[in-house]
Amino acid sequence: MATFALASWATNLTYANLTAPVIDAAVKSIYNWAGCAIGGFAQAAPQIALNTSFAAGFGGPPTSSILGLNGSLGDGTGLSFADAQVAAFVNGIASHVDDYDDTHLATIIHPSGVVASALFAIAEAESRSQGAGNRPAGVVSGEDFLTAFVAGVEAELKLGLSVYPEHYDVGWHITSTTGSVGAAIAVGKLLGLDSEHLQHAIGIASTQVIGMQAFFGSMTKSFHIGRASQGGMLAALLAQRGYTSTLTALEDQYGWLHVVSTRENASANFAQLGKGTWEIERNTFKPFPCGIVMHPTIDGCIQLYSQIIADGKSIESVKSINLRVNPEVLVLTGQTDPQTGLEGKFSIYHAASVALLYGQATPTQFTDQIVQNETVIAMRKLVNVTTDDSVAEDQAHITLTFDDDSTVEKYVEHAIGSLDNPLTVEDLKTKFIDQASRQIGSLSAEKAYNAFASIRNMTDVGRLRALF
Amino acid sequence: MATFALASWATNLTYANLTAPVIDAAVKSIYNWAGCAIGGFAQAAPQIALNTSFAAGFGGPPTSSILGLNGSLGDGTGLSFADAQVAAFVNGIASHVDDYDDTHLATIIHPSGVVASALFAIAEAESRSQGAGNRPAGVVSGEDFLTAFVAGVEAELKLGLSVYPEHYDVGWHITSTTGSVGAAIAVGKLLGLDSEHLQHAIGIASTQVIGMQAFFGSMTKSFHIGRASQGGMLAALLAQRGYTSTLTALEDQYGWLHVVSTRENASANFAQLGKGTWEIERNTFKPFPCGIVMHPTIDGCIQLYSQIIADGKSIESVKSINLRVNPEVLVLTGQTDPQTGLEGKFSIYHAASVALLYGQATPTQFTDQIVQNETVIAMRKLVNVTTDDSVAEDQAHITLTFDDDSTVEKYVEHAIGSLDNPLTVEDLKTKFIDQASRQIGSLSAEKAYNAFASIRNMTDVGRLRALF
């Protein structure tokens, strides 16, 4: 019944069901995703993915934006558009490659990337075709888009809650393993699938289990997001045309819930869909482009950087950096000697060092160049990490010892970006503009921000890309 | 070291390393795959997959054959060719949808579909492009093709042995979960990747875990083969252009071997690559288009059909059909009341009934029409199944009781098609021609058989499709 419960809830969801906080969270999630997809395109991973797709001849008529490319709408000639599956793949990778996206802390799912990358690409493709479901031909309104997005995000997050932490502890990358189902539901909802067809779509999506933690620190981590986005999209499109699966894909003895987890309570979670907590309201946005368990340490080190300057001390005179942190920090980010920017995103030693040296942790601090910088390498060797079960995941204790044996301490109770200390709307805008400007210029970045931030009022989301 | 061992073995493999029995097994595996891919295209699943791909605009320049479509080479206008990823997807589905392909009995892997669908599509695409590796531009010789195919098949089968049966018992569809790695190795080998790039390809392929047993009896079962084929192909193409993964994808604490299985001995298995048993020599070819655990029962029932006729008895006077079989028969094929042809392929009740009623079990006996036939339904209700651990998977005991309480019995010691009772070359040709003729006509079927059966001698496999 779990698969049916999920599909029928999604099928029946309307924009009128969405509360104001849900809409607000959805809009922030979408423009934060878009900013990450634009800015992240500077990385090699999405560019190799795009180039490979084109070189291999995997690309139909261009309908859907590669968000980080600054082309003009409708030219049909350049690489700024691709077919929907290539666009979902590349935007999905770009949106996650900086580890700068968003986090549902209760499941460690980064919810928007897989769902939005598929949904936006399909909305654009629909705008160039005959439409679907009961919408006027080719038009995906902002309200339709938000409703489908919320359906997909709630689905993946409730599914994630049903198996967390057991599923994660096995080694799965929970963002993409649940994300393909979320993307199928979002796209299926946009296409107007009925409950039975959506159940088939859930089946086709769920049997594609993408992503393991072995790949954290390599380009394959963000590949998971792009591939799961494609997989969910394909599932919805196949189901729309009558491709069959089983109606009980999730709860079947040999289906998703039992195969990928040792525990599940999906029925209980799905019964709460739209009733109790909307999971999207618990989404948070990353202030730093790296593994979220390092964020309390970075927050504290940035504060210490300012304090050292204010005190007239010198960072060069620090002789040891002692961190007391949650045990997950070493499980996920214990890399002592990273070699690439992507590896640096999973090194607590690197994160603490750049925060103390530069007073910030932006994409610039996680390039290959900075990871290989001699001063940074020397600083990483001063970092000692102690884990402590009593330290929460959004907390950190930091003690710096100077050459004269004096010390300064910093305790971060709730890291910036956490639920108790969220980024403000202004912070989110700054984050968007900073990322996007470096890739498409500040004028386009400002326009892009305005377009995505007001997506709710658009009559045709498929034409959004023309606004920047 | 497992990932390195696998990649370096594959990288170093040459045609000269292949023994005559290995080459013979590879050629049979390839033409048996091709026959299944041609004949299977009659099913709805591959046709929906193809139509969806085209309707959604997922298709670049046509380079690679849809094997079951009888187009002419190089016209570039029709649907007989697609881009390599669409072709791999559709041919993969078509080659498996009838459950008529091949089986490595030690792992229950159907080895050729995932690997050959990717490899053939890329060989054709290469023939239309600039070539790769150190081959003359655009030419994939029969020897190159066979070497890459054997590399991919040995890889997936040794990987399967490393985790069988634990991995299968969890509920994974082992054909596709290992197949994506096999396809990546085969395509990577064809593209001339070095060991390090091939390790990255293995990583990207292995993190796409496609296929669970919940979907047996639906179109999603064959989707697994097509999607895994695409996934492995994509992995090799991305790695070729520098997309990074980890060099230890399989053995990593949070990598494939540990995440998808409770046990593994990959290092031991990979150490035997090319030295001890070549797994491809243990490949078998299905005489009946359905779950292989039902084959002993079908074999026996077909023999009983002839015996009843010879004895002057009537099948209408059978009042009960008692089967004593291996326990896996009810685990995998226990469906008592199938509704579709695909479900009938996983119903021991249906299989026994059609074998007794028609004296054969070809694709015709597994159509929706026959599954819903009143006489067949009545016969299914006469079938009683008892399981017995002492009955091997290739054995069955069958007892028919007639209205006059007389009985006839049949014990099948080794089902036709099993390692101890294999299909002959003549059987395999008959199977190919029978399948292919219904789809592309007998003249083309004969030509297609000759082309694939002599693939070893071709100078450009990418031009094979022009021969039929």
Side-chain angles (χ1 to χ4, degrees):
Chain A
M1 294 299 293
T3 310
F4 172 76
L6 183 58
S8 62
W9 172 78
T11 306
N12 292 323
L13 186 70
T14 66
Y15 186 74
N17 298 138
L18 309 184
T19 64
V22 166
I23 294 167
D24 180 63
V27 171
K28 284 176 179 163
S29 297
I30 290 166
Y31 71 70
N32 182 72
W33 159 77
C36 291
I38 295 169
F41 192 75
Q43 290 269 5
Q47 298 197 17
I48 295 173
L50 181 63
N51 292 339
T52 299
S53 300
F54 278 98
F58 301 168
T63 59
S64 305
S65 312
I66 304 299
L67 285 170
L69 278 170
N70 202 4
S72 59
L73 184 79
D75 60 3
T77 55
L79 292 180
S80 59
F81 283 70
D83 74 22
Q85 70 172 343
V86 172
F89 184 48
V90 175
N91 290 332
I93 292 170
S95 74
H96 189 65
V97 67
D98 276 325
D99 278 292
Y100 206 5
D101 42 3
D102 53 0
T103 309
H104 178 257
L105 294 159
T107 56
I108 326 187
I109 289 173
H110 310 294
S112 299
V114 179
V115 173
S117 299
L119 195 61
F120 192 70
I122 287 290
E124 291 184 295
E126 284 286 303
S127 179
R128 282 159 189 74
S129 69
Q130 80 290 359
N134 50 8
R135 295 191 311 279
V139 171
V140 176
S141 71
E143 294 190 354
D144 285 348
F145 190 88
L146 285 167
T147 308
F149 178 75
V150 170
V153 167
E154 290 298 304
E156 66 178 337
L157 294 178
K158 293 291 191 193
L159 186 61
L161 284 170
S162 306
V163 295
Y164 187 86
E166 289 82 357
H167 169 71
Y168 193 81
D169 291 345
V170 172
W172 293 109
H173 188 188
I174 190 170
T175 293
S176 39
T177 60
T178 62
S180 65
V181 174
I185 287 176
V187 172
K189 174 81 182 160
L190 202 74
L191 297 174
L193 300 192
D194 64 21
S195 179
E196 187 172 322
H197 283 80
L198 200 54
Q199 285 167 264
H200 286 295
I202 291 168
I204 303 167
S206 69
T207 202
Q208 303 172 67
V209 189
I210 310 291
M212 299 174 193
Q213 293 161 21
F215 305 97
F216 287 9
S218 82
M219 295 183 194
T220 299
K221 180 171 193 269
S222 53
F223 169 86
H224 298 160
I225 279 59
R227 191 63 171 164
S229 191
Q230 279 190 323
M233 171 195 288
L234 179 61
L237 293 168
L238 285 169
Q240 182 186 31
R241 289 178 175 265
Y243 207 93
T244 63
S245 177
T246 163
L247 298 177
T248 55
L250 298 175
E251 65 270 29
D252 188 280
Q253 182 185 1
Y254 297 116
W256 196 91
L257 290 163
H258 301 300
V259 171
V260 304
S261 184
T262 54
R263 180 200 63 87
E264 63 93 8
N265 64 343
S267 291
N269 271 290
F270 294 165
Q272 290 303 308
L273 280 161
K275 288 178 188 158
T277 303
W278 290 79
E279 298 306 325
I280 198 169
E281 290 187 53
R282 303 205 285 166
N283 197 19
T284 67
F285 306 100
K286 284 188 172 186
F288 311 119
C290 54
I292 197 158
V293 292
M294 312 194 303
H295 286 205
T297 295
I298 295 172
D299 186 358
C301 286
I302 289 173
Q303 293 182 52
L304 285 168
Y305 170 89
S306 300
Q307 186 176 325
I308 290 167
I309 290 173
D311 292 351
K313 290 194 163 186
S314 160
I315 194 70
E316 281 79 38
S317 61
V318 169
K319 70 176 181 184
S320 76
I321 302 157
N322 289 290
L323 310 178
R324 189 154 56 86
V325 293
N326 181 275
E328 282 295 306
V329 172
L330 283 189
V331 172
L332 293 169
T333 61
Q335 191 144 10
T336 54
D337 187 28
Q339 300 296 317
T340 65
L342 293 186
E343 289 177 359
K345 292 173 182 291
F346 290 86
S347 168
I348 185 68
Y349 305 94
H350 182 72
S353 298
V354 293
L356 283 168
L357 279 169
Y358 300 98
Q360 59 181 351
T362 73
T364 304
Q365 279 74 45
F366 294 93
T367 58
D368 293 356
Q369 192 187 4
I370 294 293
V371 166
Q372 293 161 11
N373 175 284
E374 291 297 333
T375 307
V376 173
I377 292 171
M379 182 70 79
R380 289 203 294 256
K381 292 180 179 160
L382 305 180
V383 178
N384 305 300
V385 183
T386 312
T387 61
D388 182 341
D389 281 329
S390 73
V391 180
E393 288 195 8
D394 64 343
Q395 298 178 336
H397 296 267
I398 306 161
T399 305
L400 305 185
T401 306
F402 292 85
D403 285 337
D404 61 4
D405 289 328
S406 66
T407 62
V408 293
E409 300 194 4
K410 174 61 66 179
Y411 167 55
V412 175
E413 190 176 2
H414 297 297
I416 184 169
S418 65
L419 266 180
D420 292 297
N421 187 15
L423 296 192
T424 64
V425 170
E426 198 53 46
D427 291 337
L428 287 171
K429 180 173 180 181
T430 301
K431 177 185 171 186
F432 184 105
I433 299 294
D434 175 62
Q435 288 185 93
S437 295
R438 270 182 276 127
Q439 188 61 24
I440 60 172
S442 56
L443 187 64
S444 287
E446 189 79 32
K447 288 180 182 172
Y449 172 81
N450 290 333
F452 280 106
S454 57
I455 194 169
R456 175 182 178 173
N457 302 318
M458 289 202 71
T459 52
D460 184 358
V461 172
R463 298 286 163 182
L464 186 150
R465 186 64 181 81
L467 301 177
F468 68 97
Chain B
M1 293 301 294
T3 309
F4 171 76
L6 183 58
S8 62
W9 172 78
T11 305
N12 292 322
L13 185 71
T14 67
Y15 186 74
N17 299 138
L18 308 184
T19 64
V22 165
I23 294 167
D24 181 62
V27 172
K28 285 176 180 164
S29 297
I30 289 167
Y31 72 71
N32 182 70
W33 159 78
C36 292
I38 294 170
F41 192 74
Q43 290 270 4
Q47 298 198 18
I48 295 174
L50 181 62
N51 292 338
T52 299
S53 300
F54 278 99
F58 300 168
T63 58
S64 305
S65 312
I66 304 298
L67 286 171
L69 278 170
N70 202 3
S72 58
L73 184 77
D75 60 5
T77 55
L79 292 179
S80 59
F81 282 70
D83 74 22
Q85 69 171 343
V86 171
F89 185 48
V90 175
N91 290 332
I93 292 170
S95 74
H96 189 66
V97 67
D98 276 326
D99 279 291
Y100 207 4
D101 42 3
D102 53 0
T103 309
H104 178 258
L105 294 159
T107 55
I108 326 186
I109 289 174
H110 310 294
S112 299
V114 178
V115 173
S117 300
L119 195 61
F120 191 70
I122 286 290
E124 291 185 294
E126 285 286 303
S127 178
R128 284 160 188 73
S129 69
Q130 79 291 358
N134 49 8
R135 294 192 313 280
V139 171
V140 176
S141 72
E143 294 191 354
D144 285 348
F145 190 87
L146 285 167
T147 308
F149 179 76
V150 170
V153 167
E154 289 299 303
E156 66 178 338
L157 294 178
K158 292 292 191 194
L159 186 61
L161 283 170
S162 306
V163 295
Y164 186 86
E166 289 82 356
H167 169 71
Y168 193 81
D169 291 345
V170 172
W172 293 109
H173 188 188
I174 190 170
T175 294
S176 39
T177 59
T178 62
S180 64
V181 174
I185 287 175
V187 173
K189 174 79 181 160
L190 202 73
L191 297 174
L193 300 193
D194 64 21
S195 180
E196 187 172 323
H197 283 81
L198 200 53
Q199 285 168 264
H200 286 294
I202 291 168
I204 303 168
S206 70
T207 201
Q208 303 172 66
V209 189
I210 309 292
M212 299 174 193
Q213 293 161 21
F215 304 97
F216 287 10
S218 82
M219 295 182 194
T220 299
K221 180 171 193 270
S222 53
F223 169 86
H224 298 161
I225 279 58
R227 192 62 171 164
S229 191
Q230 280 190 322
M233 170 194 288
L234 179 61
L237 292 168
L238 285 169
Q240 183 186 30
R241 290 179 175 264
Y243 207 92
T244 63
S245 177
T246 162
L247 298 177
T248 55
L250 298 175
E251 66 270 29
D252 188 280
Q253 181 185 3
Y254 298 118
W256 196 91
L257 291 163
H258 301 300
V259 171
V260 304
S261 184
T262 53
R263 179 199 64 87
E264 63 93 9
N265 65 341
S267 291
N269 272 289
F270 294 164
Q272 289 304 307
L273 280 161
K275 288 179 189 159
T277 304
W278 289 78
E279 298 305 326
I280 198 167
E281 290 188 54
R282 302 205 286 164
N283 198 18
T284 67
F285 305 100
K286 285 188 172 186
F288 311 120
C290 53
I292 196 157
V293 292
M294 314 193 302
H295 286 204
T297 295
I298 294 172
D299 186 358
C301 287
I302 290 173
Q303 293 182 51
L304 285 168
Y305 170 90
S306 301
Q307 187 176 327
I308 290 168
I309 290 173
D311 293 350
K313 290 193 163 185
S314 160
I315 194 71
E316 281 79 38
S317 61
V318 169
K319 69 176 180 184
S320 74
I321 302 157
N322 289 290
L323 311 178
R324 188 154 56 84
V325 292
N326 181 275
E328 282 295 305
V329 172
L330 283 189
V331 171
L332 293 169
T333 61
Q335 191 144 10
T336 54
D337 188 28
Q339 300 297 315
T340 66
L342 293 188
E343 289 176 0
K345 291 173 183 291
F346 290 86
S347 168
I348 184 67
Y349 306 93
H350 182 72
S353 298
V354 293
L356 283 168
L357 279 169
Y358 300 97
Q360 59 180 353
T362 72
T364 304
Q365 279 73 47
F366 295 93
T367 58
D368 293 356
Q369 192 187 4
I370 293 294
V371 166
Q372 294 161 11
N373 176 284
E374 291 297 332
T375 307
V376 174
I377 291 170
M379 182 71 77
R380 288 202 296 254
K381 292 181 179 160
L382 305 180
V383 178
N384 304 301
V385 183
T386 311
T387 61
D388 182 342
D389 281 329
S390 73
V391 179
E393 288 195 7
D394 64 343
Q395 298 179 336
H397 296 267
I398 306 162
T399 306
L400 304 185
T401 306
F402 293 85
D403 285 339
D404 62 4
D405 288 328
S406 66
T407 61
V408 293
E409 300 196 2
K410 175 60 66 179
Y411 167 54
V412 175
E413 189 177 2
H414 297 297
I416 185 169
S418 65
L419 266 180
D420 292 298
N421 186 15
L423 295 192
T424 63
V425 170
E426 198 52 46
D427 291 336
L428 287 171
K429 179 173 180 180
T430 301
K431 178 185 170 186
F432 185 105
I433 299 294
D434 175 62
Q435 289 185 91
S437 295
R438 272 182 273 126
Q439 188 61 25
I440 59 173
S442 56
L443 188 64
S444 287
E446 191 78 33
K447 288 182 183 171
Y449 172 80
N450 290 333
F452 280 105
S454 57
I455 194 168
R456 175 182 177 173
N457 303 317
M458 290 202 70
T459 51
D460 184 358
V461 172
R463 298 286 163 183
L464 186 150
R465 186 66 180 81
L467 301 176
F468 67 95

